[in-house]
Amino acid sequence: MSDSAEVLVIGGGSTGTGIARDLAMRGLDVTLVEKGNLTHGTTGRMHGLLHSGGRYAVSDQASATECIEENRVLRDIAAHCVEMTGGLFVQRPEDDDEYFQEKLEGCRECGIPAEVLSGEEAREMEPYLAKDVKRAIRVPDGAIDPFRLCVANAASAEEHGARIETHAEVIDVLVEDGEVVGLEVKHDSGPGKREHHTPGETEKLYADYVVNASGAWAGQIGDMAGVDVAVRPSKGVMTIMNTRQVDTVVNRCRPKGDADIIVPHETAAILGTTDEEVEDPDEYPEEQWEVDMMIDTLSELVPILQEARTIRSFWGVRPLYEPPGTGTTDPTDITRDFFLLDHEDRDDLPGMTSIVGGKFTTYRMMAEKISDHVCEKFGITAECRTADEPLPGSDDFSILRDYMDEFGLRSPIGRRSVQRLGSRADEVLKTGEPNPVICECEAVTRAEFADAVEGSGSDLNAARIRTRASMGNCQGGFCAHRMANELAPKYEAEVVRTALDELYQERWKGQRHALWGDQLSQAMLNYALHATTMNRDRDPARTGASVDFSAFDGGPTEPGEAGADASAAATDGGSLREDESRQEGR
Ligand SMILES: Cc1cc2nc3c(=O)[nH]c(=O)nc-3n(C[C@H](O)[C@H](O)[C@H](O)COP(=O)(O)OP(=O)(O)OC[C@H]3O[C@@H](n4cnc5c(N)ncnc54)[C@H](O)[C@@H]3O)c2cc1C
């Protein structure tokens, strides 16, 4: 048997990047292909909860036990991605006492530290909890940054020799003589780092083994190989609030249901979620009532949410899987466990295994299991080291505290940069150049942003997920153009504009579901800044149509006067008169 193997991993989410890292650390030659950016799928659209296991302590104790084990591992190896906020399972007067007791006992049976707090003690921890909250169970839930974690896994895989190809979509699985021998991928630009306006190409990649870690899309890859992988995608909505209304993960202590978790995440709080089976992981309705339900229901726990500003909403799709024949109709009943489908054993198709189901919190354990499986195929005996070896940035976490002292980092900007970069702070921030702030909301400086651009080519969305720039309160209003500016002069103006447009679209996507109250004002301000002052709305002055300047110049009008008709009011540069010819030089 050979002591090395070339392995192709499909999917740049937590599972795929975790597998790529593990296999590369064991000495295998790995290429990972991802159709979008890293975290493009479910991993970039989750709640950010590092489970203690408390959530599953009654319904699924095996998962609960795995969660607490991995919770401890991730605190060690990914310290710069985790914030140990702690968590509360909160009981309202109408919630069942018996269930509260079952939860407490379940936690203890699974080895999850759990302590009961009175309503008063819980409110001392979280002052915005509803006044009538009866009591709570305290558990070690945390918040985790999925973007930073995946990038760190991919970076570590690269350090161990792996090739990571983003914007490389698998369009075919190559099968020869009844065996999977590789993949055909379509590069958006490249191969290599993404650069807009660089033509893409298709490439055939051959390998000894293929791992299908494409999550909710695993069925599509299965179809390409001619095997059935019956994933049951289930969507969930999350709504981001403008500040951290809570500093602890707040869960409702009742059997699993919709809208029962609030996760404090960086500068915001994320409300979630729902669980509804969908046909297609790309095409499903995103509805306003789902957002309303998040706010209304979770306000029963934290009433101030009713008054808070919602900055955006997003949906993710769980890659749930159930072995054939189980026949569960309710998606909330489908196990959160993961399954390894060896297509040689299952379908008589050697050369490929799919991994489906699971949770973000247990991604490393899933990666270990599948890497063991691949190594066994090739008779490779190298041990898994991912539970012990820190991810890049978490190598020596005491460095963070040292930096805080050394630089007197009370400033939120310095503090947050160092928190994000962890042990890479020195390498990235010690620059002789001026280091202005690019994104105020998330406290991202030029040095940190330049480091991200280094890793992501002209792709501003990829730089965004590495730094969080444009993910805060203004949603890119005050920083998107500065981010774009950082691409110059390395990239041509047209490349920079396209990258900026793409970033705008991504930011806009989530705000569409939050257009009321203060967020509507913020969105209109962003529109005014970008669309009108930078002409991103293709103002008539550029397109050749004419502008009714009198709509601006007529001064305030009284109801009933000419020009007071709201439907004729200029909102974005004046109303257009198609019959007027444009007056050049005006
Ligand atoms: C609403 C919601 C909330 C959640 N909250 C939590 C939580 O708080 N904590 C927790 O532990 N778990 C949570 N989860 C579960 C967790 O997010 C997922 O289990 C996990 O992110 C799945 O990761 P993955 O890598 O398997 O899949 P993905 O992240 O989806 O990765 C698969 C990748 O494959 C790529 N791909 C697909 N087709 C192709 C192709 N043809 N070619 C190339 N690439 C392809 C996709 O673009 C995608 O990036 C949540 C899930 C949802 C839906």
Side-chain angles (χ1 to χ4, degrees):
M1 271 291 172
S2 130
D3 63 354
S4 72
E6 193 151 354
V7 182
L8 286 167
V9 178
I10 311 171
S14 51
T15 312
T17 54
I19 295 168
R21 176 182 195 230
D22 194 333
L23 290 174
M25 281 170 75
R26 298 193 206 200
L28 280 78
D29 187 353
V30 181
T31 298
L32 180 145
V33 286
E34 161 56 55
K35 70 176 168 183
N37 271 317
L38 297 176
T39 75
H40 178 78
T42 309
T43 301
R45 296 146 191 276
M46 48 85 85
H47 217 152
L49 169 58
L50 177 66
H51 285 285
S52 61
R55 183 159 175 78
Y56 305 106
V58 177
S59 59
D60 183 352
Q61 294 205 334
S63 289
T65 311
E66 285 175 1
C67 281
I68 187 65
E69 279 172 25
E70 287 301 298
N71 174 302
R72 292 192 175 110
V73 171
L74 292 182
R75 281 192 243 168
D76 275 353
I77 64 151
H80 72 309
C81 305
V82 172
E83 184 190 350
M84 274 320 286
T85 58
L88 293 174
F89 278 87
V90 172
Q91 186 189 22
R92 285 193 44 80
E94 64 271 28
D95 297 337
D96 189 23
D97 281 340
E98 207 178 312
Y99 185 77
F100 187 90
Q101 198 54 33
E102 276 182 65
K103 179 73 85 186
L104 183 63
E105 280 159 21
C107 285
R108 290 182 176 155
E109 281 158 22
C110 299
I112 303 164
E115 178 196 357
V116 177
L117 304 182
S118 67
E120 206 169 46
E121 285 167 333
R123 274 188 297 280
E124 261 168 39
M125 263 181 82
E126 281 305 335
Y128 287 127
L129 277 184
K131 299 269 176 287
D132 55 353
V133 155
K134 210 167 146 189
R135 53 188 175 157
I137 304 171
R138 178 149 68 172
V139 292
D141 281 339
I144 185 156
D145 187 318
F147 308 111
R148 211 176 298 159
L149 186 103
C150 277
V151 171
N153 269 295
S156 171
E158 278 185 322
E159 281 170 11
H160 289 88
R163 171 181 169 196
I164 306 288
E165 282 288 343
T166 59
H167 302 279
E169 181 176 5
V170 174
I171 51 171
D172 202 7
V173 175
L174 305 174
V175 180
E176 285 175 12
D177 301 326
E179 183 174 352
V180 173
V181 294
L183 301 169
E184 184 167 13
V185 299
K186 187 164 153 271
H187 294 282
D188 184 32
S189 83
K193 268 181 214 162
R194 186 172 184 212
E195 186 173 335
H196 294 83
H197 296 284
T198 306
E201 57 187 58
T202 59
E203 184 185 11
K204 282 188 175 156
L205 297 166
Y206 289 89
D208 299 319
Y209 210 74
V210 171
V211 177
N212 173 15
S214 59
W217 294 265
Q220 295 175 4
I221 301 292
D223 290 346
M224 293 178 201
V227 293
D228 185 28
V229 181
V231 181
R232 292 178 57 178
S234 166
K235 73 164 175 172
V237 63
M238 282 142 293
T239 291
I240 307 189
M241 310 310 282
N242 61 334
T243 59
R244 287 165 65 114
Q245 282 81 11
V246 292
D247 274 330
T248 313
V249 174
V250 173
N251 304 265
R252 180 90 176 246
C253 191
R254 63 178 179 191
K256 261 193 304 172
D258 286 342
D260 50 13
I261 314 181
I262 309 168
V263 181
H265 197 80
E266 303 267 342
T267 50
I270 308 183
L271 317 185
T273 180
T274 45
D275 197 343
E276 193 187 335
E277 195 160 347
V278 295
E279 287 283 312
D280 181 336
D282 292 306
E283 288 288 334
Y284 50 83
E286 298 179 343
E287 294 180 67
Q288 183 64 47
W289 68 262
E290 299 175 87
V291 177
D292 293 344
M293 181 181 62
M294 284 305 113
I295 298 166
D296 291 345
T297 311
L298 283 162
S299 300
E300 292 169 12
L301 293 184
V302 178
I304 197 179
L305 291 174
Q306 282 290 2
E307 297 160 33
R309 171 150 75 96
T310 307
I311 55 178
R312 63 190 285 124
S313 291
F314 61 102
W315 278 254
V317 188
R318 292 175 192 81
L320 301 185
Y321 179 81
E322 240 190 12
T326 320
T328 309
T329 48
D330 182 349
T332 59
D333 287 339
I334 301 179
T335 174
R336 266 48 181 167
D337 216 346
F338 63 90
F339 296 85
L340 199 150
L341 312 179
D342 181 328
H343 296 296
E344 181 172 13
D345 294 350
R346 216 187 65 139
D347 309 296
D348 212 12
L349 180 70
M352 182 165 98
T353 288
S354 297
I355 182 149
V356 284
K359 282 176 294 298
F360 180 86
T361 303
T362 53
Y363 87 92
R364 195 214 56 82
M365 186 185 269
M366 291 163 68
E368 178 176 345
K369 294 268 161 61
I370 198 146
S371 300
D372 285 348
H373 177 76
V374 173
C375 285
E376 203 183 307
K377 293 259 166 206
F378 292 95
I380 295 169
T381 51
E383 294 278 305
C384 173
R385 289 183 287 131
T386 57
D388 306 312
E389 220 165 279
L391 285 160
S394 285
D395 310 27
D396 176 3
F397 208 58
S398 65
I399 207 161
L400 175 63
R401 286 187 293 274
D402 295 347
Y403 271 118
M404 298 295 183
D405 293 344
E406 185 184 335
F407 297 122
L409 284 177
R410 284 188 304 274
S411 114
I413 291 171
R415 179 177 283 275
R416 293 209 57 215
S417 299
V418 174
Q419 271 164 347
R420 273 192 299 265
L421 292 162
S423 51
R424 292 192 62 240
D426 198 7
E427 176 193 329
V428 176
L429 298 177
K430 273 199 172 160
T431 159
E433 302 295 315
N435 192 18
V437 176
I438 302 287
C439 162
E440 282 92 348
C441 300
E442 293 294 319
V444 181
T445 63
R446 172 174 287 162
E448 195 183 338
F449 199 74
D451 172 64
V453 168
E454 188 62 38
S456 52
S458 70
D459 191 332
L460 289 176
N461 272 312
R464 168 179 69 81
I465 64 170
R466 283 165 155 82
T467 57
R468 297 189 65 82
S470 82
M471 288 167 80
N473 259 260
C474 82
Q475 291 289 293
F478 293 88
C479 60
H481 53 295
R482 290 193 212 144
M483 290 164 70
N485 206 33
E486 295 302 304
L487 296 179
K490 192 169 169 196
Y491 296 100
E492 302 266 326
E494 208 40 50
V495 169
V496 178
R497 273 199 202 99
T498 309
L500 178 59
D501 281 346
E502 210 178 73
L503 176 69
Y504 281 149
Q505 287 312 319
E506 180 57 40
R507 297 293 73 203
W508 170 239
K509 217 165 66 183
Q511 289 176 71
R512 287 174 308 182
H513 304 283
L515 291 180
W516 65 85
D518 291 342
Q519 184 56 29
L520 179 57
S521 309
Q522 176 71 52
M524 287 313 296
L525 176 62
N526 290 356
Y527 177 74
L529 288 172
H530 293 286
T532 63
T533 60
M534 284 190 276
N535 213 1
R536 307 308 292 165
D537 64 344
R538 295 171 49 76
D539 183 276
R542 218 171 81 171
T543 58
S546 64
V547 179
D548 176 10
F549 287 99
S550 65
F552 295 103
D553 297 338
T557 51
E558 294 299 322
E561 278 185 32
D565 174 6
S567 65
T571 53
D572 63 352
S575 55
L576 301 184
R577 285 190 185 160
E578 294 300 338
D579 56 338
E580 266 184 15
S581 60
R582 185 166 176 241
Q583 294 177 32
E584 294 292 341
R586 188 160 158 177

